[in-house]
Amino acid sequence: MTRVRVNRSRNIAIAIFLALVTVAIVALFVFLLAGKPIPVLETHGTIADQERTIIIITALLAAIVVVPVFAMLAIFAWRYRAGNSRAKYQPNMSGHRGLELLWWGIPCLIILVLGIITYVSTHNLDPYKQLPLAKGQTPVKVQVVALQWRWLFIYPGTQTASMNDLTIPVNTPIELSITADAPMNSFWIPALAGQVYAMSGMSTKLNLSADSVGTYNGVSSNISGSGFAAMSFKVHVVNSADYKSWVQQGAHSMSMLTYSDYEDIAKPSNDSTPRIYMLMDDNLFNDIINSYTSASPNQNGSMEMGN
Amino acid sequence: MSDLIRVVDAEQATRNERKALGFWIYIMTDCVLFATLFATYAVLHGNVFGGPAGKDIFNLPFVLAETLILLTSSFTMGLATIMAAKGNRHQAYTWLAATFILGFSFLMMEISEFGSLIIDGNGPSRSAFLSSFFTLVGTHGLHITVGLLWILVMLWRFYKHGLKKQDLHRLSLLALFWHFLDVIWIFIFTIVYLMGSLS
Amino acid sequence: MNNLREIIFGRLTWQAFQHDPIMGGAGVFMVVALLAIMGYVTYKHKWGWLWRNWFTSLDPKKIGAMYLIVAFIMLLRGLADALMMRGQQALASGANGYLSADHFQQVFTAHGSIMIFFVAMGIVFGVINLIVPLQIGARDVAFPKLNSISFWLFAAGMIIINAPLIAGEFSTAGWLAYPPLSELQYSPGVGVDYWIWSLQIAGIGSLISSINFVVTIFKMRAPGMTLMKMPIFVWSVLGSMVLVMFAFPILTATLGMLSLGRLLGMHFFTAGGGGDAMMYVNLIWAWGHPEVYILVLPAFGIFSEVVPVFSKKKLFGYTSMVWAIAIITLLSFTVWLHHFFTMGAGADVNTFFGIMTMIIAIPTGVKVFNWIFTMWRGRVQFTTAMWWFIAFVVSFTLGGVAGVMMSVPPADFQFHNSLFLVAHFHTMIIGGVVFGAFAGFNYWFPKFFGFKLNERIGRWSVFMWVLGFLLAFTPLYILGFMGATRRLDHYDASLGWQGLFIVAAVGVGLILVGIGLQLLQVGVSIWQRKQSLDTSGDPWDGRTLEWSLPNPPAEYNFAVIPTVTERDAFWVAKHNNAQPSTDYEPIVVPENSGLGAVVGSLALVFGLAIVWHIWWLVIVTLVGVILALIISLTRDEMYTVITTDEIKQIEAAREGAAA
């Protein structure tokens, strides 16, 4: 009799210990997270908002399977432990058609729901899809070039280009065309929209729209050489008046950007200082792409990925 | 003692059975390898990058001759297998030697084709199209080379030991390999040369 | 003069041997350890013994053991890399850390490549070699010599991937070496070549192994063991090996093309020249995704053995399990694009691959339910192996949730290449493959050593591992939400990531404590082996054929090949009180063969020579391999036969020892 009691109090001690460890770990994470930015969840753009919603929905749907799994694991482990002779014991039971049908069936249903969500959301949030425009609104087009290891932003139709500084107007659809004059990179602004690869010799697209004024972080999320970790840039979301005055700055900039100037700044560099240039060559973006696609540059049209 | 012979005979028979299945599986993995190279060729064949396209460099009559030679070699390989099975050592030896000569001619023709392309400055580093062309056709050529080596070894075995039971089994695997290379070549001929010359 | 040097040594120069203190230290440590081992072997005059009993042995049990030894050493190497990475990231908040960017990138590339190719694959092939013949009632594998070649190619690849510690540098392009970064233009050094040839040589070994085991399973099962009576572990191995068969040729071709680009200037994946880097990404994942299942299916198989034995109950839903394996095998080739939804392939393509990815979660989920219901109405014994199972379910299910989240393309756009992804695949691969291997280790240890492992220390090791595992990877999930991408050698202090990185580093430290406890477990168990001796051959009341044999099994495994009538053949035989037959027949065993060691050594030199562009040596070794194969293949096969009298003697001696 005494032995049983000893075991029981030991089990209780273990349970309390494990509970304390869990609480301590959770407390630690809460403490470490306090006041820190969590851009994937604290979103500031229409695309990232919807992506967050999908993340939450899928997690909840998956929980439908996970919670019973954990519950059963704990309950069965406890109830059918070797020492518990009161529990039923059926050593030759080799299956149960109904139960198995249940766990082939329920996940199938969940996947059906998830599949529909996937179909709809993938088409809705296709990075190539243009965002709806308000009346009289025109989208802002920006061309993005990943360099080693900096980002060049070209504002076609204006005289402005900038390095490591993406300035865009708030509540306006932005159309980004993205390429690389470097190893493959991935263009990611977590608070505004999910990422798209930047690859040489072709252009990918990303449509996004920011819904509040502020400064956000953008990065390359794909390894592209030794300076890759420093390949971050700031995204300044400003109101339309500020945007207009910003975009004028290029015209007054002292540094000009022709193709030959470009070849200079395209050399590998870790200098991440934001700069602004007077864009002299409106065809620069296409020329950069063409330098990879044709034997002699500046001849053929560019190649586009996807739609 | 007879007990031992019985056991060893049975062991040899089951080993041959395993080898046959294993060899078929190997052939299948080789198919996957060629499928990968074919897929690569399909993706890259248009990327000539200022260099020649297929129709500019393929000499169809030449390749047709290559094809016929390889097809004939498959036929002679078949004859060699049949003759060996019949126990006709001399015939088996002759047909196998014929297969070698045909296979070797095929290989030489391929090498001369590659050589003239390279001399004209259309080597494998010229463009993605040429890289994928040389690699696909060259991988087949490499297999042919291995096959030729294998034929040589078989000829040597036949010459030295006559038609031993184990060698007959080896010959059947060699024949399988050779016919497989023939099939691959037919795909190369159709997809690379014929379709390349037409487009 | 310079020309002559180049002809003889290729690109290899004295400078290649000069390293910074950290890398140099690791290299020196490696060389010293090797020399110490070799010195010890020489001192003890054990070279002959090593050569005869191990290096040239064709006994799959010994080959399996050698795989596991290599895998364990590589696990330590990979963990050292992990510790270096986590140390760097814990320090490098707004600073540069103690490693240069270049060195840091070599470390994570080595970590990934080694853990997948030389730890996980080593575990898989090790366990398969040890267990499959025993479970199907076979004496050997189908092609013993090829089996030895496979192992030695694996060993050669392992040495090549560690060679940069001594000469040159390793790849900085990540474990899958995406071009154009891995092309000559951006990586002109020897690093990527080391990576290519290590994987190429080991990969060909894996391919040969898969043919071997598929034939073994199809042709060498005991009479009466139909496919639907095979132990589930064998089924899972069959699924895994079929995947190797179809996936590894793709890897061979892809690495070959990458190498041709680097050696001969061809344009498959180059930027410019008409090359297409996206094609590489497609091809490498057409191999890479099946690879995940190649690793995890055998682990599933191990759990399918462990859970019924320790629940004292039949496996729940055998047929479901077989179907689940078959479906996973098939579907694993239809999901590769989910590794790069962000390439911009368009919504329809992304939707297709997203939904396929979710579908593959269904059979995986079914397996989890079946395991849990195997415990239902059983008598569960909480041995260490069973605790590993529980740790596996918790980790694998949580990782699975993350996986399903990422299978929805728009959600993946936010997770891709982030630490969330890194945490996800570590929870799957460590939680699946590594925990599975540990469960198997505890479960099958007595079969080969004759005594059980210490349970108390075993439980502590599970606890430490799980705690360390949670601390190491929960922060990474969180960091993913904070926008932290993978592979950063430093980051801005204002992001507030440092605390979490420190916790993650502590977690890795606790995992190391867990490994220390496992070593202690083995040490104490050897020390106290008298108390845990098992002379029955069946310490756990097992169900499958391997437990019908004495510990350790004789070279020929089965003196008489058993006849199988039902699943759980040994369990049935025990309960029918069937006595093992003594109707001995002469047994043919393969002779030792040095072919594997010779081919492996030549492949090693070939690989190193091609990395360093020493062309004459490339040719010499290539000719050497061809000659070795021709000589070995054309030799008339020799048969060593153990006669019935000898078998009687051996079996009697073994019974005497057991009693």
Side-chain angles (χ1 to χ4, degrees):
Chain A
M1 262 340 260
T2 32
R3 250 191 95 199
V4 174
R5 213 159 49 228
V6 169
N7 271 342
R8 173 165 291 182
S9 62
R10 206 189 69 157
N11 284 340
I12 291 170
I14 290 174
I16 291 173
F17 173 66
L18 288 178
L20 283 177
V21 169
T22 316
V23 170
I25 293 175
V26 172
L28 177 69
F29 286 136
V30 170
F31 167 73
L32 288 173
L33 268 172
K36 308 280 162 52
I38 310 176
V40 172
L41 298 178
E42 299 161 354
T43 51
H44 295 281
T46 48
I47 299 289
D49 286 348
Q50 296 175 62
E51 286 168 345
R52 184 191 55 187
T53 310
I54 289 164
I55 289 169
I56 293 167
I57 291 173
T58 48
L60 290 176
L61 277 173
I64 298 178
V65 178
V66 171
V67 171
V69 164
F70 282 7
M72 283 189 305
L73 182 68
I75 293 168
F76 291 177
W78 177 250
R79 173 132 186 87
Y80 299 104
R81 68 191 186 277
N84 184 10
S85 50
R86 281 175 306 171
K88 249 192 192 170
Y89 179 43
Q90 294 183 319
N92 287 321
M93 184 179 57
S94 62
H96 188 289
R97 193 166 290 244
L99 283 173
E100 285 179 70
L101 220 61
L102 200 66
W103 56 70
W104 277 101
I106 289 178
C108 280
L109 288 178
I110 295 174
I111 297 301
L112 186 70
V113 175
L114 207 52
I116 293 168
I117 293 173
T118 302
Y119 182 85
V120 173
S121 68
T122 307
H123 284 81
N124 269 343
L125 296 175
D126 182 359
Y128 283 64
K129 194 174 140 184
Q130 288 181 341
L131 296 175
L133 294 166
K135 236 188 195 141
Q137 208 177 19
T138 47
V140 169
K141 295 190 180 190
V142 185
Q143 295 163 337
V144 184
V145 186
L147 304 173
Q148 296 181 82
W149 293 275
R150 309 190 272 182
W151 292 95
L152 179 67
F153 300 99
I154 300 166
Y155 294 73
T158 75
Q159 281 188 302
T160 301
S162 63
M163 182 73 85
N164 277 358
D165 172 358
L166 175 62
T167 298
I168 50 171
V170 71
N171 288 328
T172 312
I174 316 288
E175 280 182 37
L176 300 159
S177 302
I178 304 167
T179 190
D181 193 359
M184 190 170 88
N185 281 280
S186 192
F187 178 86
W188 188 27
I189 311 167
L192 299 185
Q195 64 200 285
V196 166
Y197 282 164
M199 296 173 283
S200 55
M202 64 181 75
S203 152
T204 48
K205 288 204 183 313
L206 179 62
N207 285 275
L208 58 84
S209 169
D211 59 20
S212 47
V213 170
T215 301
Y216 309 106
N217 288 317
V219 293
S220 169
S221 69
N222 197 71
I223 173 109
S224 56
S226 67
F228 144 78
M231 215 173 146
S232 56
F233 57 96
K234 291 288 177 206
V235 185
H236 300 286
V237 177
V238 295
N239 61 42
S240 57
D242 286 348
Y243 176 70
K244 276 194 187 105
S245 67
W246 185 84
V247 102
Q248 306 290 322
Q249 282 183 38
H252 308 295
S253 171
M254 297 307 285
S255 16
M256 306 214 234
L257 192 61
T258 62
Y259 194 85
S260 64
D261 298 325
Y262 165 77
E263 283 178 323
D264 221 34
I265 62 170
K267 287 182 182 134
S269 163
N270 270 328
D271 176 10
S272 57
T273 327
R275 284 171 216 281
I276 198 153
Y277 303 100
M278 187 199 291
L279 180 66
M280 304 299 288
D281 178 358
D282 220 34
N283 213 26
L284 182 59
F285 185 75
N286 286 332
D287 289 344
I288 294 169
I289 292 176
N290 288 342
S291 70
Y292 285 95
T293 51
S294 51
S296 49
N298 310 339
Q299 277 181 354
N300 299 335
S302 67
M303 198 170 135
E304 280 213 352
M305 180 65 203
N307 347 1
Chain B
M1 211 45 221
S2 65
D3 216 19
L4 288 187
I5 291 167
R6 182 176 55 82
V7 169
V8 166
D9 272 356
E11 176 72 16
Q12 197 167 48
T14 51
R15 278 192 197 185
N16 285 349
E17 231 177 89
R18 285 176 213 156
K19 274 181 196 159
L21 177 62
F23 201 77
W24 274 103
I25 295 177
Y26 152 71
I27 296 260
M28 206 220 55
T29 63
D30 227 12
C31 280
V32 179
L33 183 97
F34 276 110
T36 311
L37 296 179
F38 271 113
T40 305
Y41 179 81
V43 171
L44 295 181
H45 76 280
N47 298 9
V48 295
F49 205 68
K55 61 176 183 303
D56 305 324
I57 52 169
F58 295 153
N59 180 352
L60 218 45
F62 185 83
V63 181
L64 190 65
E66 260 184 292
T67 308
L68 289 176
I69 287 173
L70 197 66
L71 285 177
T72 317
S73 83
S74 229
F75 179 66
T76 53
M77 177 63 95
L79 286 178
T81 326
I82 293 169
M83 289 306 158
K86 278 188 180 166
N88 191 334
R89 179 176 167 186
H90 183 72
Q91 288 264 5
Y93 194 84
T94 314
W95 287 119
L96 199 55
T99 310
F100 179 83
I101 292 164
L102 289 168
F104 190 73
S105 325
F106 170 85
L107 192 66
M108 285 302 118
M109 287 176 80
E110 192 169 302
I111 288 173
S112 82
E113 187 200 4
F114 279 11
S116 65
L117 279 175
I118 292 169
I119 288 165
D120 293 345
N122 295 325
S125 56
R126 176 71 188 85
S127 68
F129 155 65
L130 283 164
S131 302
S132 62
F133 165 77
F134 271 90
T135 305
L136 174 57
V137 179
T139 304
H140 178 266
L142 209 62
H143 278 74
I144 291 282
T145 313
V146 171
L148 288 174
L149 253 174
W150 191 352
I151 292 177
L152 276 184
V153 174
M154 284 311 306
L155 283 171
W156 174 68
R157 296 272 315 173
F158 282 171
Y159 175 75
K160 211 164 159 225
H161 303 284
L163 298 175
K164 288 176 83 172
K165 203 170 143 201
Q166 246 345 61
D167 285 327
L168 291 185
H169 183 249
R170 285 172 181 145
L171 181 65
S172 71
L173 299 185
L174 168 60
L176 180 59
F177 183 65
W178 200 255
H179 298 319
F180 159 70
L181 293 184
D182 220 26
V183 173
I184 294 288
W185 180 259
I186 288 169
F187 278 100
I188 291 179
F189 179 65
T190 315
I191 292 172
V192 176
Y193 290 102
L194 275 184
M195 285 164 71
S197 304
L198 291 177
S199 66
Chain C
M1 193 57 207
N2 225 8
N3 250 340
L4 187 67
R5 191 189 55 78
E6 259 184 55
I7 288 169
I8 298 176
F9 294 112
R11 330 189 238 182
L12 189 59
T13 57
W14 279 119
Q15 282 87 340
F17 294 91
Q18 291 162 4
H19 284 127
D20 65 71
I22 298 171
M23 209 167 150
V28 169
F29 172 77
M30 198 170 87
V31 171
V32 167
L34 257 177
L35 287 178
I37 293 169
M38 287 163 72
Y40 180 78
V41 173
T42 313
Y43 175 72
K44 287 273 180 184
H45 301 290
K46 287 283 189 188
W47 282 115
W49 170 82
L50 214 53
W51 179 258
R52 280 189 306 276
N53 286 308
W54 289 92
F55 291 176
T56 60
S57 171
L58 299 187
D59 182 349
K61 295 186 285 297
K62 287 184 174 164
I63 292 176
M66 290 195 287
Y67 267 113
L68 291 183
I69 291 167
V70 173
F72 182 72
I73 295 170
M74 285 299 102
L75 177 67
L76 296 183
R77 157 90 211 257
L79 268 166
D81 289 336
L83 205 60
M84 285 174 80
M85 277 149 63
R86 286 285 156 266
Q88 168 86 358
Q89 290 184 316
L91 293 173
S93 174
N96 278 330
Y98 67 102
L99 295 173
S100 66
D102 192 62
H103 192 173
F104 179 79
Q105 294 176 352
Q106 291 184 44
V107 170
F108 68 65
T109 305
H111 170 81
S113 314
I114 286 178
M115 286 298 202
I116 294 291
F117 282 91
F118 298 101
V119 179
M121 286 302 267
I123 289 172
V124 165
F125 282 116
V127 175
I128 292 176
N129 262 294
L130 285 170
I131 304 303
V132 165
L134 294 178
Q135 279 202 337
I136 62 173
R139 291 189 170 127
D140 204 342
V141 296
F143 311 115
K145 263 192 223 169
L146 283 184
N147 200 22
S148 168
I149 293 179
S150 289
F151 168 75
W152 286 106
L153 290 178
F154 169 78
M158 181 273 288
I159 296 173
I160 293 174
I161 211 167
N162 284 290
L165 288 178
I166 296 168
E169 75 283 334
F170 194 56
S171 166
T172 55
W175 80 282
L176 283 183
Y178 279 12
L181 181 59
S182 58
E183 290 284 356
L184 221 43
Q185 184 188 357
Y186 297 110
S187 301
V190 290
V192 176
D193 298 301
Y194 268 130
W195 181 85
I196 289 174
W197 291 100
S198 166
L199 267 52
Q200 187 70 292
I201 289 170
I204 289 170
S206 304
L207 187 56
I208 297 173
S209 247
S210 74
I211 298 174
N212 207 339
F213 281 101
V214 170
V215 177
T216 305
I217 293 172
F218 274 124
K219 287 277 179 192
M220 297 176 72
R221 296 191 309 277
M225 187 184 276
T226 57
L227 287 175
M228 289 309 274
K229 285 176 188 162
M230 292 197 306
I232 283 285
F233 176 71
V234 180
W235 262 111
S236 69
V237 169
L238 183 60
S240 168
M241 291 300 110
V242 167
L243 285 178
V244 175
M245 242 160 67
F246 282 95
F248 269 71
I250 306 176
L251 178 72
T252 306
T254 310
L255 291 176
M257 288 190 276
L258 183 62
S259 188
L260 286 172
R262 294 179 59 85
L263 291 174
L264 301 178
M266 294 199 199
H267 296 285
F268 292 103
F269 316 121
T270 46
D276 188 343
M278 290 190 301
M279 193 175 62
Y280 178 91
V281 179
N282 272 287
L283 287 174
I284 202 77
W285 282 115
W287 158 79
H289 197 84
E291 167 71 8
V292 176
Y293 288 94
I294 289 165
L295 299 178
V296 87
L297 278 177
F300 286 173
I302 294 174
F303 290 123
S304 304
E305 300 298 314
V306 165
V307 177
V309 166
F310 294 115
S311 301
K312 298 236 164 291
K313 186 166 160 276
K314 277 186 181 167
L315 179 70
F316 197 94
Y318 177 94
T319 315
S320 272
M321 289 301 223
V322 172
W323 277 107
I325 290 169
I327 293 171
I328 290 172
T329 303
L330 201 70
L331 289 186
S332 65
F333 276 103
T334 60
V335 300
W336 80 87
L337 194 127
H338 72 213
H339 295 273
F340 45 96
F341 283 141
T342 50
M343 192 174 266
D348 288 325
V349 175
N350 281 355
T351 304
F352 172 80
F353 282 95
I355 292 176
M356 290 317 284
T357 306
M358 295 164 195
I359 291 176
I360 210 169
I362 298 173
T364 315
V366 166
K367 294 182 80 76
V368 173
F369 280 110
N370 277 337
W371 288 318
I372 292 180
F373 270 77
T374 303
M375 291 159 61
W376 184 53
R377 297 187 176 170
R379 284 275 183 267
V380 185
Q381 295 166 306
F382 287 95
T383 55
T384 308
M386 206 55 193
W387 279 114
W388 281 121
F389 166 71
I390 289 170
F392 153 76
V393 173
V394 173
S395 154
F396 203 75
T397 318
L398 288 176
V401 173
V404 170
M405 287 163 80
M406 282 189 297
S407 69
V408 186
D412 179 71
F413 296 158
Q414 287 284 37
F415 288 134
H416 183 64
N417 270 345
S418 74
L419 287 177
F420 184 92
L421 165 81
V422 172
H424 158 71
F425 69 70
H426 280 88
T427 24
M428 302 309 266
I429 293 182
I430 298 180
V433 183
V434 179
F435 288 5
F438 292 157
F441 182 71
N442 278 275
Y443 173 58
W444 278 308
F445 185 89
K447 176 65 9 210
F448 299 98
F449 291 90
F451 56 92
K452 294 198 221 176
L453 287 169
N454 185 302
E455 288 290 337
R456 174 185 284 265
I457 308 176
R459 279 198 298 274
W460 270 105
S461 72
V462 180
F463 175 73
M464 268 310 179
W465 253 98
V466 171
L467 186 66
F469 185 64
L470 282 175
L471 284 180
F473 292 106
T474 316
L476 300 197
Y477 278 118
I478 299 171
L479 281 163
F481 283 107
M482 296 171 86
T485 59
R486 64 201 296 201
R487 296 167 170 171
L488 294 175
D489 56 86
H490 68 273
Y491 48 89
D492 210 67
S494 66
L495 294 163
W497 298 344
Q498 190 171 26
L500 289 163
F501 273 123
I502 293 173
V503 173
V506 171
V508 179
L510 287 181
I511 289 176
L512 277 182
V513 174
I515 291 195
L517 284 171
Q518 287 179 300
L519 288 173
L520 186 71
Q521 182 197 21
V522 174
V524 168
S525 308
I526 293 173
W527 184 255
Q528 303 177 336
R529 63 187 177 280
K530 291 261 161 57
Q531 282 118 318
S532 53
L533 224 49
D534 169 64
T535 51
S536 64
D538 183 23
W540 311 117
D541 196 7
R543 317 180 72 85
T544 38
L545 288 174
E546 73 270 31
W547 302 110
S548 69
L549 299 169
N551 307 330
E555 190 194 351
Y556 47 73
N557 294 350
F558 296 88
V560 176
I561 299 287
T563 302
V564 174
T565 51
E566 277 179 63
R567 278 173 213 154
D568 291 343
F570 179 52
W571 178 269
V572 174
K574 271 192 291 193
H575 285 259
N576 295 340
N577 280 324
Q579 288 302 312
S581 160
T582 50
D583 228 355
Y584 300 134
E585 286 260 328
I587 297 172
V588 183
V589 289
E591 289 201 313
N592 279 11
S593 163
L595 180 68
V598 169
V599 170
S601 314
L602 288 169
L604 167 66
V605 179
F606 170 82
L608 293 174
I610 208 164
V611 166
W612 290 102
H613 294 180
I614 308 172
W615 303 119
W616 64 270
L617 197 53
V618 170
I619 295 165
V620 168
T621 45
L622 205 58
V623 171
V625 170
I626 292 167
L627 282 181
L629 288 177
I630 288 177
I631 290 169
S632 161
L633 289 173
T634 54
R635 256 206 325 219
D636 283 323
E637 289 187 54
M638 302 297 285
Y639 297 92
T640 309
V641 180
I642 305 177
T643 61
T644 38
D645 290 338
E646 286 167 323
I647 299 168
K648 267 181 202 150
Q649 276 173 20
I650 296 171
E651 290 294 306
R654 297 174 67 89
E655 265 169 39

